[in-house]
């Protein structure tokens, strides 16, 4: 929890566009004061970065987040979910030290990358369930993480929080999600990727899945709905007393609407749409047209909780 701030920033470094938004606190509510966007100038996240190419991001970040440059204010950075590998490890015994837990998480996730790809990894102990220790492991290629951080610093903006999109969204809506569902699901469909997160009755993450989108596919909506249905059914059938009645949903595209309709028809479960802009004031002249504008606003507002 941050101390009271009158200004917050969110920065989405996406595969297709880079979006920054500024929120100002006025009269007891948050107001979207600016949304700035530019196309991502180089291919990022897929494959290894070419030497120094990631520095081409710095001038773009400097322009879209110019209002945050040099300021000591919360600035949250979000990256697409498929850029981060995440897994929930169920263990008979838990390594005693944080270093050993991180090493175990790195060993597990390294198998998802080529052997010569160095990864930056973190591990979080989630406690126990059904006699197993739960360890949340996440990682991304170290070259990309260090390159993106370097680009932010070169743009004179200092990230205070750095997470994947689905993690930001779960944190942003956590109180509402846990109030409305014991076991629950959150599905988010963005411009270039989609992600699914499942949690248990204690609010602990139990399943994570993300994919890059394939707009060229004629069956993209059907594929997303099928993978979501399989994951939800596998989770509810794997533990005694698990019951998931609602899939919480974020996404405004035609594909997202199609996925929601398919899930409701196939699973006979309601899809409850979450709106990151609910109750927000929008300043005159601010455009929410950028595909990831709502994501950047969600990220920024998470700092004001």
């Amino acid at each position: 929890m941050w101390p009271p701030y009158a200004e917050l920033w969110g920065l989405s470094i996406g595969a297709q566009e880079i979006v920054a938004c500024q929120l100002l606190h006025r009269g007891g509510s948050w107001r979207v004061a600016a949304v700035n966007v530019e196309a991502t100038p180089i291919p990022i996240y897929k494959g290894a970065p070419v030497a120094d190419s990631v520095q081409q991001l710095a001038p773009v970040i400097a322009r879209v987040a110019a209002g945050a440059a040099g300021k000591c204010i919360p600035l949250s950075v979000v990256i697409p979910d498929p850029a981060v590998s995440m897994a929930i490890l169920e263990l008979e015994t838990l390594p005693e030290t944080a270093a050993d837990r991180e090493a175990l998480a790195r060993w597990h996730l390294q198998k998802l990358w080529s052997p010569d790809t160095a990864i930056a990894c973190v591990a979080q102990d989630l406690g126990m369930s059904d006699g197993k220790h739960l360890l949340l492991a996440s990682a991304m290629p170290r070259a990309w993480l260090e390159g993106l951080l370097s680009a932010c610093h070169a743009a004179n903006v200092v990230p205070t929080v750095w997470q994947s999109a689905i993690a930001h969204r779960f944190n942003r809506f956590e109180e509402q999600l846990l109030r409305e569902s014991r076991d629950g699901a959150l599905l988010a469909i963005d411009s270039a990727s989609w992600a699914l997160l499942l949690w248990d009755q204690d609010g602990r993450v139990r399943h994570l899945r993300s994919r890059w989108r394939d707009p060229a596919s004629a069956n993209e909506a059907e594929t997303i709905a099928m993978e979501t249905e399989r994951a939800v059914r596998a989770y509810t059938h794997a533990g005694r007393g698990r019951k998931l009645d609602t899939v919480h949903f974020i996404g405004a595209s035609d594909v997202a609407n199609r996925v929601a309709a398919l899930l409701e028809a196939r699973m006979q479960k309601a899809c409850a749409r979450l709106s990151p802009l609910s109750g927000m004031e929008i300043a005159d002249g601010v455009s929410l047209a950028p595909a990831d504008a709502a994501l950047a606003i969600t990220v920024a507002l998470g700092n004001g909780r």
Side-chain angles (χ1 to χ4, degrees), residues 14-16 46 80 82 189-194 211-215 292:
Q16 298 175 344
K46 298 179 182 180
I189 301 178
D190 292 317
S191 59
S193 63
W194 65 271
R211 299 284 189 272
W212 294 109
R213 288 186 54 189
D214 182 13
D292 292 334

Side-chain angles (χ1 to χ4, degrees), residues 136-156:
L136 172 60
S138 59
M140 72 177 296
R142 184 175 296 277
W144 277 119
L145 178 60
E146 293 179 350
L148 294 175
L149 283 170
S150 177
C152 287
H153 293 159
N156 198 26

Side-chain angles (χ1 to χ4, degrees), residues 88 124-129 133-136 204-206:
I88 309 298
Q124 180 183 356
D125 178 10
L126 300 181
M128 295 191 68
S129 177
H133 296 272
L134 304 180
L135 189 68
L136 172 60
R204 297 174 300 194
V205 178
R206 298 304 300 268

Side-chain angles (χ1 to χ4, degrees), residues 235-288:
Y235 169 74
T236 54
H237 293 162
R240 185 171 55 189
R242 294 179 180 177
K243 185 180 180 182
L244 200 157
D245 294 320
T246 304
V247 176
H248 291 84
F249 191 81
I250 296 175
S253 66
D254 290 341
V255 169
N257 293 334
R258 174 67 176 155
V259 170
L262 286 169
L263 285 175
E264 290 183 336
R266 293 167 64 110
M267 301 180 64
Q268 300 297 305
K269 298 181 186 297
C271 282
R273 191 178 295 273
L274 299 173
S275 174
L277 304 180
S278 178
M280 297 287 294
E281 298 181 19
I282 311 298
D284 293 340
V286 171
S287 172
L288 300 180

Side-chain angles (χ1 to χ4, degrees), residues 63-102:
R63 288 191 293 270
V64 299
K71 291 184 178 179
C72 183
I73 55 175
L75 184 146
S76 291
V77 176
V78 61
I79 57 178
D81 294 297
V84 183
S85 297
M86 304 183 76
I88 309 298
L89 309 183
E90 298 187 4
L91 309 171
E92 295 291 343
T93 59
L94 186 70
E96 292 186 2
T97 68
D100 287 341
R101 291 191 290 271
E102 182 178 307

Side-chain angles (χ1 to χ4, degrees), residues 197-210:
L197 182 150
L198 306 180
W199 65 89
D200 65 16
Q201 297 179 7
D202 296 315
R204 297 174 300 194
V205 178
R206 298 304 300 268
H207 177 85
L208 288 157
R209 176 175 303 189
S210 63

